[in-house]
Amino acid sequence: MNALRVVVADDHPLFREGLRTLLADLGAEVVAEVGDGSAAVAAVGAHRPDVVLMDLRMPGLDGIEATSRISRDHPGTAVLVLTMSDDAASLQAALSAGARGYLLKEASKADVGRALDAVMRGEILIGSGAAPRLRTVTAGRTATTPFPQLTEREQELLELLARGLDNAAIARRLYLAEKTVRNRVSAVMAKLPAASRAEAIAIARDAGIGQAD
């Protein structure tokens, strides 16, 4: 890992201390530690980190709302949830808010390292402890409107994705920077949710969206 800059958001000081040591072992730099969601949002604005390790249950502004604000205002910063919450509702809420990864606090150092690498590549990673809940989340999609959780712009991007366009081609079609497209593809994958670009395309085509050019 090459000097990854991380904000740690968790309301338990001892857990933050252990996480700081773990991240140092992985070669990452902790640029801020905070104990609530409002402070996490402020820290991202001040430090512009690569990743936020976000707990969900914190006093004041919770991790879901903090994730939503960070994903909206700072799309270049990835949010990786690290939580005790292993229920489907928490997973769905986090992914819908824009989280790019979801790990339980029982995750090993290797698990955290793999997740950080994945989210920095623009992938979505669901840890093995939370993965069984993914099927429940997927089964909860409505049949009348395939992806009501997506904005109109995100649905347009998903259609182009399902037609087989790469990020550069999508950027030209939508008059966006390629980096912006990459971040928005990650956001769409999180909201579907899909663990990979290929799965996002398959989900969209199964719903009747997009045909390969």
Side-chain angles (χ1 to χ4, degrees):
M1 197 174 301
N2 186 20
L4 197 67
R5 302 176 72 252
V6 181
V7 166
V8 174
D10 193 287
D11 62 335
H12 292 92
L14 286 177
F15 184 77
R16 292 201 306 267
E17 182 179 348
L19 199 51
R20 185 172 64 245
T21 300
L22 180 152
L23 290 167
D25 289 345
L26 291 171
E29 175 190 3
V30 176
V31 297
E33 297 179 29
V34 297
D36 63 75
S38 295
V41 174
V44 170
H47 297 283
R48 303 300 174 98
D50 300 303
V51 180
V52 180
L53 287 179
M54 181 77 75
D55 191 14
L56 294 185
R57 297 178 181 175
M58 294 183 289
L61 191 72
D62 65 20
I64 297 294
E65 181 58 29
T67 296
S68 179
R69 295 185 188 184
I70 291 167
S71 299
R72 179 193 66 204
D73 298 337
H74 304 283
T77 296
V79 177
L80 173 59
V81 170
L82 189 57
T83 180
M84 293 290 292
S85 302
D86 64 352
D87 58 289
S90 295
L91 173 59
Q92 181 172 25
L95 295 177
S96 295
R100 298 189 200 171
Y102 197 100
L103 292 178
L104 300 184
K105 287 186 175 179
E106 65 191 29
S108 67
K109 181 170 72 173
D111 291 334
V112 174
R114 282 191 293 270
L116 289 171
D117 286 342
V119 299
M120 288 310 299
R121 291 195 302 269
E123 300 173 6
I124 304 297
L125 189 140
I126 310 300
S128 58
R133 304 290 181 252
L134 190 60
R135 182 172 297 178
T136 303
V137 171
T138 304
R141 297 192 185 98
T142 63
T144 53
T145 304
F147 311 112
Q149 70 273 40
L150 301 183
T151 66
E152 184 176 345
R153 192 67 160 168
E154 288 170 340
Q155 290 182 27
E156 185 179 3
L157 185 149
L158 180 61
E159 181 175 353
L160 295 175
L161 193 67
R163 287 169 57 187
L165 277 66
D166 61 17
N167 287 352
I170 292 173
R172 290 192 295 271
R173 294 285 186 96
L174 300 182
Y175 301 99
L176 296 171
E178 191 169 344
K179 180 179 179 181
T180 300
V181 171
R182 184 168 61 250
N183 289 333
R184 291 187 180 179
V185 168
S186 294
V188 167
M189 288 166 56
K191 288 182 178 183
L192 287 176
S196 67
R197 188 184 185 99
E199 184 180 359
I201 291 171
I203 289 170
R205 290 180 179 174
D206 285 347
I209 295 174
Q211 297 292 331
D213 285 346

